[in-house]
Amino acid sequence: MAEAHQAVAFQFTVTPEGIDLQLSHQALTEIYLSGLRSWKKRLIRLKNSVITGVYPASPSSWLFVVIAILATMYTRSDPSMGLIAKIQEHLPVSQSMSAQCQTVVSAVLFSTMLWLSLIFTMRLCLKQLLSYHRWMFEQHGKMSNTTKVWMALVRIFSGRQPLLYSYQGSLPNLPVPAIKDTLKRYLESVRPLMDSTEFERMTKLASEFESSLGHRLQWYLKLKALWAANYVSDWWEEYIYLRGRSPIMVNSNYYGMDFLYVTPTPIQAARAGNTIHAFLLYRRKLNREEIKPVSTVIPLCAAQCERMFNTTRTPGEETDTVQHWQDSDYIAVYHRGRYFRLWVYQAGRLLSPREIEYQIQRILDDPSSPSPGEEKLGALTAGDRVPWAKVRKEYFSTGVNKRSLDCIEKAAFFVTLDDDEQGMMGEDPAASLDRYAKSLLHGKCYDRWFDKSFSVVIYKNGKNGLNAEHSWADAPVVAHLWEYALATDSFQLGYNEEGHCKGEVDSSLPRPQKLNWEIPSECQEQVAQSLAVAQALADDLDFHVFSFRVFGKGKIKKCRMSPDAFIQLALQLAYYRVTVAHDREMFCLTYEASMTRLFREGRTETVRSCSNESCAFIRHSYIAADVCRRLFRSASEKHQHLYRMAMTGAGIDRHLFCLYVVSKYLGVESPFLKEVLSEPWRLSTSQTPIQQVELFDLVNHPEYISCGGGFGPVADDGYGVSYSIVGENMINFHISCKHSCPDTGAHKFGAQIKKALLDLLHLLCPDQSESKKTEASPPEDKKDQ
């Protein structure tokens, strides 16, 4: 094979005259340039480690301190109050230096210690400042003097031009809430879901837990919080994600969609070229820490970004592991049942979009057939984890299978070239969006590599999308990457008039390498079994995606209401109406994801959106409008309070989860914790915010909007709802449930959400509401060729 020849740097033969050594200058050049690139990355990492390590100061400030101390000494002053003289006395090489040299060296050592002490003090002050969260609980537009002073101090101590990880050492640790407060908030959250008898029983269980086992578990948890950077995150990753033995497809992985109304090019290879190049540009910025730290008023933790690329989830019989490699110079590509390795660097430089398009087209045109068992091999990552772990150990731990599997797992990311056409198209655009969502979430159940940190899907008609594995990071981190890729693809890289990527092609590029497999019949049987499990899961999934365009956050804010609280109350009202239709009239435990990235290594917390206030409003939604409005605003304020509490470390569920883990380690049973953690989340919700608004011009180019992303339902008899608020006049919804539950229906629930949104706006601001029958017409679907 050509690839094998290019991997050989030299050849030699033994002749009667001696050894005839033949060097391949091209191969040696490639080795040299590859090594040079690797060393450049190491030096950049070292430089960034130094800059981040001394932040919020800068390395150049050390020189300023040294010069200042030396200048002061030459004025016959001693700024060290005798410490320089003490250092001079104990210099180990004082005999070999002159007195003046000893004084200078001692002054430099004192200056360095003073500089490090100042850095430590500044970081400690910044950490204390970032621990202040009262600003979140103040009314909009009514900032207290304390908060104003705090914001000024944060600006002073925050330094200038921070790198991505500059704030990591200054972020506060997640606090452990008082067990009494957590139990009180928990009982308040379940009160509307229980009758008096059930609530009395649960109150008794909570009281017994607090007075007996609770304080013992809390002691261990506080001990961990003193030692670990975050007392939740490592256990959350291991026990919620990695120890799960059911399929991660649908149950854990999530997806992101392309632009809703625009397809930048209909050429599959061209769209792949720009998209892949954009991802690699992001990786380069990530490695150099050039990405600006994400912040609200204060910076958020960026620890999850570290494993974005070159990462895979490896199956195990008891628990999976997340493996991350420092670098990878290729991607793995799947097309028509075949796997390829595509190098994305040539002579130490990143391939241009046009060159990547050229290589992708080579894969599309490749006439070779899949090896026996290769076509549906990816189903192993879609089925149960234990069979996959056993098969991996038995058939993929040595030989050609191990080499090919390593190519996939160590790749920068995974790419699927899909033969289907997706997007909002055809005579029924609503149904096409539903198919698009299902395709991104599970595909054919074997044409995605669900273990990779993320997989990019490029469809035949130029549409693309993303499928992400959940254990290594949460959706906002992946969404930040996806926003950058979409914007870079369309607004920076662009396409020529024919729809191809811009630039020239080096025709000497080595062909993409087709991976080889030797898959025995026993392994193929397990692939078929995993595929059957995954296919049953995919067939049971009911999905509905729609854009609500009657109004958006603009009108909601004019009514002086939080858009997120407004939508959450609409979801509560819609769920209640769906249950009324089935003669049940009930509320359910509702999960809304909230971040805890204000703290070091923070991930998520649960906002229990179903509250006493929200239930009171919904129960009385048919009485006088004035009373309803008062109850509505009370419910909204309660939701905002719960969200802020969750963000600032005073949530309920992560604390109870960690107490449960400690109880398992100690081998003790808690009836209270066991019951709490077994309660089903029948309504699981999450908002996908747009984090880089500056990348998109929604005023002049409203068609360049992404539809967001979604996930599968958490409970068999529940719903998964993801929503994104786009611009001022649009809200996108992704609803999932299971066909096997007769009481749920994604389209039915979607219709109730639309009705609830309109009813709530009409209630809150009758003069702002519009006709319920008229929706704004969407932008025309465009294809820029």
Side-chain angles (χ1 to χ4, degrees):
M1 294 187 302
E3 297 81 12
H5 286 299
Q6 292 187 5
V8 178
F10 63 89
Q11 299 176 355
F12 68 91
T13 56
V14 179
T15 67
E17 290 77 21
I19 296 176
D20 181 18
L21 185 65
Q22 297 177 350
L23 297 177
S24 169
H25 294 288
Q26 181 183 0
L28 287 175
T29 302
E30 289 293 331
I31 291 172
Y32 167 74
L33 292 173
S34 178
L36 189 64
R37 173 175 165 267
S38 177
W39 276 105
K40 281 182 179 178
K41 289 189 65 176
R42 291 182 187 180
L43 291 174
I44 289 170
R45 273 195 218 106
L46 179 62
K47 181 194 73 172
N48 289 340
S49 296
V50 172
I51 295 173
T52 301
V54 302
Y55 198 83
S58 63
S60 60
S61 63
W62 172 82
L63 186 61
F64 174 80
V65 173
V66 170
I67 293 173
I69 294 296
L70 291 174
T72 307
M73 289 180 63
Y74 279 107
T75 62
R76 305 292 181 181
S77 300
D78 185 7
S80 69
M81 293 181 290
L83 283 176
I84 293 178
K86 288 285 185 182
I87 293 172
Q88 187 172 346
E89 290 176 9
H90 294 87
L91 278 177
V93 291
S94 57
Q95 301 297 327
S96 60
M97 292 189 296
S98 64
Q100 186 177 7
C101 186
Q102 291 177 36
T103 303
V104 172
V105 171
S106 301
V108 170
L109 289 174
F110 170 77
S111 302
T112 302
M113 290 188 291
L114 177 63
W115 179 65
L116 292 174
S117 300
L118 289 172
I119 290 172
F120 177 79
T121 303
M122 290 179 68
R123 293 181 76 155
L124 189 63
C125 291
L126 183 58
K127 190 170 188 175
Q128 293 300 314
L129 288 169
L130 296 180
S131 300
Y132 174 84
H133 297 128
R134 280 181 54 191
W135 60 273
M136 291 190 66
F137 296 88
E138 295 179 350
Q139 291 186 11
H140 184 68
K142 295 183 179 180
M143 187 183 297
S144 66
N145 291 329
T146 303
T147 300
K148 290 177 181 178
V149 172
W150 167 79
M151 291 186 70
L153 290 173
V154 167
R155 290 193 187 98
I156 293 172
F157 284 94
S158 288
R160 297 166 59 187
Q161 297 181 336
L163 298 175
L164 177 61
Y165 303 120
S166 291
Y167 293 109
Q168 291 300 105
S170 301
L171 290 173
N173 290 3
L174 183 68
V176 181
I179 196 166
K180 181 180 180 180
D181 295 339
T182 297
L183 295 178
K184 180 182 177 182
R185 287 193 288 267
Y186 168 76
L187 291 172
E188 182 184 353
S189 72
V190 297
R191 182 65 190 94
L193 308 175
M194 298 179 176
D195 58 30
S196 298
T197 304
E198 289 177 319
F199 184 71
E200 185 178 345
R201 183 183 64 83
M202 185 56 76
T203 302
K204 185 178 179 181
L205 281 176
S207 178
E208 290 174 354
F209 171 74
E210 181 185 359
S211 60
S212 56
L213 182 60
H215 287 290
R216 182 186 171 196
L217 303 180
Q218 180 82 344
W219 185 86
Y220 281 100
L221 209 53
K222 287 184 175 180
L223 187 64
K224 186 192 178 187
L226 289 173
W227 176 255
N230 190 296
Y231 79 93
V232 176
S233 293
D234 57 338
W235 285 349
W236 185 254
E237 179 177 305
E238 180 178 358
Y239 293 107
I240 297 301
Y241 294 116
L242 298 180
R243 281 187 180 263
R245 303 293 81 197
S246 59
I248 60 176
M249 184 198 80
V250 174
N251 293 326
S252 178
N253 285 28
Y254 53 93
Y255 68 86
M257 280 187 171
D258 191 9
F259 293 122
L260 188 58
Y261 302 113
V262 172
T263 305
T265 177
I267 302 174
Q268 185 177 20
R271 191 73 197 279
N274 267 9
T275 301
I276 292 168
H277 188 81
F279 277 119
L280 294 169
L281 289 178
Y282 190 94
R283 185 177 70 162
R284 185 163 65 187
K285 290 168 71 72
L286 187 68
N287 290 337
R288 296 176 178 178
E289 299 183 35
E290 295 173 351
I291 297 172
K292 185 179 179 182
V294 178
S295 63
T296 51
V297 175
I298 56 179
L300 305 182
C301 178
Q304 295 179 50
C305 299
E306 295 172 356
R307 299 183 292 181
M308 186 175 290
F309 294 91
N310 330 315
T311 298
T312 196
R313 173 171 173 164
T314 304
E317 293 190 30
E318 292 186 3
T319 181
D320 294 354
T321 55
V322 176
Q323 288 187 288
H324 171 71
W325 292 268
Q326 283 295 329
D327 193 21
S328 180
D329 57 0
Y330 65 89
I331 59 173
V333 181
Y334 177 91
H335 177 244
R336 291 184 181 173
R338 304 153 310 161
Y339 292 87
F340 294 85
R341 170 161 50 180
L342 171 58
W343 285 273
V344 291
Y345 285 88
Q346 171 76 358
R349 65 171 180 84
L350 177 62
L351 296 186
S352 69
R354 185 70 183 89
E355 289 173 325
I356 297 175
E357 177 190 349
Y358 176 72
Q359 295 290 71
I360 291 292
Q361 192 62 52
R362 281 176 155 182
I363 294 175
L364 293 173
D365 296 338
D366 191 307
S368 62
S369 301
S371 304
E374 179 183 10
E375 180 181 7
K376 299 180 180 179
L377 188 63
L380 291 170
T381 68
D384 291 322
R385 303 305 291 175
V386 174
W388 172 209
K390 291 179 178 179
V391 166
R392 187 180 190 276
K393 183 178 181 181
E394 185 171 357
Y395 300 108
F396 296 89
S397 57
T398 59
V400 64
N401 287 347
K402 183 181 188 302
R403 290 193 294 273
S404 294
L405 181 62
D406 282 348
C407 283
I408 294 175
E409 294 185 334
K410 294 180 181 180
F413 51 90
F414 190 81
V415 176
T416 294
L417 302 175
D418 203 309
D419 278 341
D420 292 339
E421 296 187 356
Q422 297 291 349
M424 191 170 69
M425 58 187 186
E427 297 179 357
D428 191 352
S432 67
L433 275 182
D434 300 345
R435 291 192 297 272
Y436 183 21
K438 281 176 63 66
S439 175
L440 286 174
L441 192 58
H442 56 69
K444 297 182 179 70
C445 301
Y446 58 80
D447 54 350
R448 319 276 187 259
W449 200 265
F450 295 100
D451 286 355
K452 285 298 289 181
S453 55
F454 65 89
S455 298
V456 185
V457 184
I458 312 292
Y459 292 102
K460 189 175 182 179
N461 61 339
K463 278 291 179 187
N464 66 8
L466 190 82
N467 181 289
E469 201 275 317
H470 210 326
S471 63
W472 65 275
D474 300 308
V477 176
V478 178
H480 193 275
L481 163 69
W482 189 233
E483 289 172 6
Y484 177 90
L486 287 177
T488 302
D489 168 24
S490 295
F491 306 135
Q492 294 185 26
L493 301 176
Y495 301 88
N496 62 25
E497 294 179 356
E498 291 78 27
H500 293 283
C501 297
K502 298 176 181 177
E504 302 297 327
V505 177
D506 180 1
S507 58
S508 67
L509 290 172
R511 296 185 66 85
Q513 176 191 0
K514 184 180 181 299
L515 303 185
N516 297 315
W517 307 89
E518 294 176 359
I519 303 172
S521 58
E522 296 85 357
C523 181
Q524 293 182 38
E525 289 176 6
Q526 184 54 61
V527 170
Q529 292 176 23
S530 294
L531 179 58
V533 171
Q535 195 65 60
L537 189 61
D539 291 343
D540 194 24
L541 185 66
D542 184 18
F543 235 102
H544 182 40
V545 180
F546 67 92
S547 293
F548 183 81
R549 300 185 59 88
V550 179
F551 63 88
K553 70 176 181 181
K555 283 194 175 179
I556 298 173
K557 284 184 174 181
K558 286 181 181 178
C559 298
R560 293 179 298 163
M561 174 74 71
S562 158
D564 185 67
F566 185 95
I567 294 171
Q568 283 291 326
L569 286 167
L571 294 177
Q572 291 291 315
L573 180 57
Y575 185 86
Y576 181 81
R577 286 173 172 174
V578 166
T579 60
V580 167
H582 289 86
D583 299 322
R584 287 187 291 150
E585 288 195 27
M586 62 179 289
F587 300 98
C588 72
L589 198 60
T590 304
Y591 184 114
E592 181 186 4
S594 162
M595 67 163 186
T596 54
R597 290 171 64 198
L598 296 174
F599 303 95
R600 191 172 182 179
E601 295 183 16
R603 291 201 58 164
T604 61
E605 178 58 275
T606 305
V607 181
R608 293 180 168 233
S609 301
C610 183
S611 63
N612 288 308
E613 288 79 2
S614 67
C615 293
F617 159 68
I618 292 170
R619 285 194 182 102
H620 298 88
S621 58
Y622 302 102
I623 60 176
D626 289 342
V627 178
C628 281
R629 274 192 285 271
R630 177 174 56 80
L631 292 172
F632 189 16
R633 292 197 178 276
S634 175
S636 171
E637 290 169 5
K638 180 65 175 182
H639 177 269
Q640 287 180 275
H641 178 74
L642 291 174
Y643 201 97
R644 290 161 180 163
M645 292 287 284
M647 285 186 65
T648 54
I652 299 168
D653 291 276
R654 300 302 178 268
H655 185 202
L656 293 178
F657 160 76
C658 288
L659 290 172
Y660 180 76
V661 173
V662 174
S663 73
K664 287 298 181 182
Y665 277 125
L666 296 178
V668 294
E669 289 291 331
S670 167
F672 170 74
L673 290 176
K674 186 176 181 180
E675 188 163 338
V676 169
L677 270 76
S678 64
E679 294 170 340
W681 300 97
R682 291 191 174 89
L683 187 53
S684 180
T685 71
S686 179
Q687 181 189 168
T688 305
I690 296 179
Q691 302 168 74
Q692 303 169 88
V693 182
E694 69 278 2
L695 297 180
F696 304 93
D697 185 0
L698 297 181
V699 176
N700 297 318
H701 301 285
E703 67 276 13
Y704 283 93
I705 51 176
S706 171
C707 198
F711 52 87
V714 174
D716 290 340
D717 58 348
Y719 295 97
V721 181
S722 174
Y723 55 94
S724 57
I725 303 172
V726 184
E728 298 294 310
N729 303 300
M730 186 176 183
I731 309 171
N732 294 321
F733 287 91
H734 300 248
I735 306 166
S736 63
C737 62
K738 294 191 175 182
H739 290 296
S740 56
C741 178
D743 296 333
T744 60
H747 287 77
K748 174 176 62 179
F749 192 45
Q752 289 292 353
I753 290 173
K754 294 176 186 177
K755 186 175 186 303
L757 289 168
L758 292 167
D759 290 346
L760 292 184
L761 183 71
H762 180 72
L763 169 68
L764 195 62
C765 304
D767 56 327
Q768 295 276 351
S769 62
E770 299 179 359
S771 171
K772 299 181 182 181
K773 296 182 181 179
T774 305
E775 292 195 11
S777 58
E780 183 181 353
D781 191 9
K782 296 183 180 180
K783 290 188 178 181
D784 300 337
Q785 300 183 26

